[in-house]
Amino acid sequence: QVQLVESGGGSVQPGGSLRLSCAASGNTYSVNCMGWFRQGPGKEREGVAAIYTANGGGSAYYGDSVKGRFTISLDNAKNTVYLQMNSLKPEDTAMYYCAAASPRLSILDPDEYNYWGQGTQVTVSS
């Protein structure tokens, strides 16, 4: 089992920034990828960003709607993954979830992930 705890959500004005954190514990060696997903009101859960965690960390992948604005990073020593979110827009408002898995097909497909955190709310509003 892998336990994930998110933090860092909150409310921010459009154009602002937030940094989310996700601390992993348990059998972290059993997964090789950690990702961030979000689900807005009335929307399906979508992949935001994901990063391979093996060998000190590897390639990162982003959803089209956040490319150039969000950055995922990994601190292997702390078993923590971060999501730096800049130039936030109202449409970024959602519950953000951290997840972990060893995906076989699509690294940004939430169906590939079997460990999930409880989520942290991000609200972008003026």
Side-chain angles (χ1 to χ4, degrees):
Q1 293 290 322
V2 177
Q3 294 78 43
L4 303 168
V5 179
E6 304 102 330
S7 61
S11 296
V12 64
Q13 292 186 341
S17 298
L18 282 174
R19 189 176 83 153
L20 306 183
S21 300
C22 174
S25 60
N27 296 334
T28 56
Y29 59 84
S30 66
V31 298
N32 68 358
C33 183
M34 292 182 70
W36 287 97
F37 298 81
R38 68 185 182 186
Q39 188 165 16
K43 298 182 180 180
E44 294 185 353
R45 192 168 295 190
E46 66 169 334
V48 175
I51 188 168
Y52 284 105
T53 59
N55 300 320
S59 300
Y61 299 82
Y62 298 91
D64 289 341
S65 61
V66 306
K67 285 179 181 177
R69 299 188 297 123
F70 290 11
T71 302
I72 190 170
S73 61
L74 175 69
D75 185 333
N76 257 328
K78 297 181 179 180
N79 282 334
T80 298
V81 65
Y82 304 95
L83 184 68
Q84 178 66 43
M85 305 185 293
N86 298 329
S87 302
L88 282 161
K89 306 175 181 179
E91 51 263 43
D92 294 318
T93 295
M95 184 70 79
Y96 283 71
Y97 298 90
C98 176
S102 295
R104 297 181 181 182
L105 297 175
S106 173
I107 194 174
L108 289 176
D109 184 352
D111 290 339
E112 295 271 6
Y113 288 75
N114 47 344
Y115 299 109
W116 292 87
Q118 80 286 355
T120 185
Q121 178 68 38
V122 171
T123 301
V124 185
S125 174
S126 56

